Amino acid sequence: SNADGLFTGRIQNSGEKLLVNEKALLTKSIRTAWSSYDVLNYDTQNNFTYFKNEVEKPKTERRTPYSSSDEESSNVKITNFGVESFKQENILPPNIKQEDIKYSFNSSNYCFFVTKNGKITSSSIIKEKETNQIHISSRAALNTELNAKVIGPTKVISSAIIPKGCVIEFISSTVIIKENKLAILTTEPAYAVKTFPASKRFKNIILTFDKNGVTLFSFYPFETKASNKHMGNEFI
């Protein structure tokens, strides 16, 4: 994914050089994100195309980790990229309209939408095994009001994923939204925001980078329903 569009290809080792045989898929791509082994390509801040991929799973089982906190690894290979594609507007549930979406992003299992009426909602990505079809659930897992009086201008700069929620960087603030609760992390513009949703050790860590340096946030707990009781200073 770059300014020239979306490309796919295999990396080949030719002597001391790594070669990539690129194949152009789309002429526009501002960012991409994974959904398991599938890929979502965003051509604008509020629109994506979902690419379903064919994969090859290893015949042998993965090694047993030394402890429950060890990171998991996988030898699954993508053998065919984009065997099917689905436009965002065609897989939205009836309660979400394409024209109402201001910004969209995704995790492996959920799509998130910031709407023009000042809300953020998320719904699960449904992958039908029998029909190989993709659609987004009409049941909202997250539905939170974005109060401009509290967080400032609601123009989204970037987003990041955490368990059961997300972190959103706005023009003048960064907020965490988890289990329909919102808390402000910073009230100044950030250069970047980093989370570690796939990590077992650091999935409750958030890093923000700004003119003053790096700030580390930790939220706890993050795997039990009791977490929705903890916000503000007790939550972060």
Side-chain angles (χ1 to χ4, degrees), residues 186-200:
T186 67
T187 55
E188 293 184 356
Y191 296 153
V193 177
K194 177 69 175 177
T195 61
F196 309 89
S199 172
K200 288 188 175 182

Side-chain angles (χ1 to χ4, degrees), residues 141-156:
L142 190 72
N143 190 17
T144 304
E145 193 85 25
L146 298 174
N147 190 336
K149 293 182 180 180
V150 177
I151 64 177
T154 57
K155 178 178 174 59
V156 179

Side-chain angles (χ1 to χ4, degrees), residues 165-182:
C166 62
V167 177
I168 300 182
E169 176 195 355
F170 296 103
I171 291 179
S172 59
S173 66
T174 302
V175 304
I176 176 175
I177 303 170
K178 180 172 165 58
E179 295 188 340
N180 284 318
K181 303 292 183 179
L182 183 148

